[in-house]
Every structure is written in structure tokens, then in C-alpha cells.
Amino acid sequence: MLRILLVEDEALISLVTSIALEDAGYHVTVAIDGREGLQIAQQYQPELIITDYMMPRMTGLELIRQLRESGFIRPIILATSILEENLPDRPEYNAYIQKPYREAELLSAIRRVAAAAE
């Protein structure tokens, strides 16, 4: 069972996404912002991270940058309503998915990056 860390500050999106991921057979831990996500990722060592971009305390891009600088090599999916070409910076994430996304779209991205990481 793939261990996923979902970093999402919007409670409804977090709830709906975590339920969908658990229904698909994944084990999900949720963080409500980038700082909490960084702390959980360092302790929990998830096999995959899905992170929002716009969050309080630390953006998803800052989270990704800090994770990569600390040696985290597992897949990261960036989920945001901002078009990828409009992102101010592009740290090393493995997939981009635009919000609002469909469940099938997210699950496909997870399978793709998880398979590439094997």
C-alpha cells in the first residue's frame, strides 16, 4: 500500500481527496500547510507527496525545494490552479496537475510517477 502525504490547506479538498485516495487503496496522511508537510515528510518518509501550491506559512514550491535540498528523492505531484507556465519557479517535482482536477486524473498521475520511481 503506497503511503501518500497530501499537503492541502483547503479542508474540503483535503477531505474529498484523501477519501478518494484511501478508496483507491492508498494510505494517506494529511498536512494543512507546507511547514507541517515538511515536518511530516521528514518524520514519516512517505513514498509520494501531493502538494498544493498556494498555502499559508510555506508554499508548495518552497516545500518541494526544501525537500529536494534535504535529499528527498521520492515522487512529488504539484497540484494548483495556476498554469504551470505561470509558476514563478519550478523546483524538481515529478508531475503537475491543474486544479480543479478529476479523481481519475489524479489517480493516473499517481500511477505514472509511482511506476517511474520503481
Side-chain angles (χ1 to χ4, degrees), residues 9-48:
D9 64 320
E10 292 188 41
L12 183 58
I13 294 173
S14 178
L15 177 64
V16 170
T17 302
S18 63
I19 289 170
L21 294 174
E22 288 174 353
D23 286 349
Y26 300 113
H27 180 271
V28 181
T29 300
V30 176
I32 61 169
D33 62 41
R35 281 192 189 160
E36 184 179 46
L38 181 62
Q39 182 181 29
I40 291 172
Q42 290 170 337
Q43 293 174 348
Y44 172 67
Q45 291 298 306
E47 295 164 302
L48 185 142

Side-chain angles (χ1 to χ4, degrees), residues 11-99:
L12 183 58
I13 294 173
S14 178
L15 177 64
V16 170
T17 302
S18 63
I19 289 170
L21 294 174
E22 288 174 353
D23 286 349
Y26 300 113
H27 180 271
V28 181
T29 300
V30 176
I32 61 169
D33 62 41
R35 281 192 189 160
E36 184 179 46
L38 181 62
Q39 182 181 29
I40 291 172
Q42 290 170 337
Q43 293 174 348
Y44 172 67
Q45 291 298 306
E47 295 164 302
L48 185 142
I49 295 175
I50 302 165
T51 184
D52 185 16
Y53 168 47
M54 298 295 291
M55 296 182 289
R57 299 182 0 138
M58 178 186 291
T59 70
L61 296 180
E62 292 168 330
L63 170 63
I64 294 167
R65 187 177 305 105
Q66 288 193 30
L67 285 167
R68 295 305 190 207
E69 287 173 359
S70 73
F72 186 87
I73 60 170
R74 293 183 173 154
I76 300 174
I77 298 173
L78 177 65
T80 181
S81 59
I82 298 173
L83 294 174
E84 188 172 25
E85 58 267 13
N86 294 335
L87 292 173
D89 189 13
R90 293 189 189 175
E92 188 183 330
Y93 51 85
N94 302 82
Y96 162 90
I97 187 167
Q98 188 169 359
K99 287 180 169 182

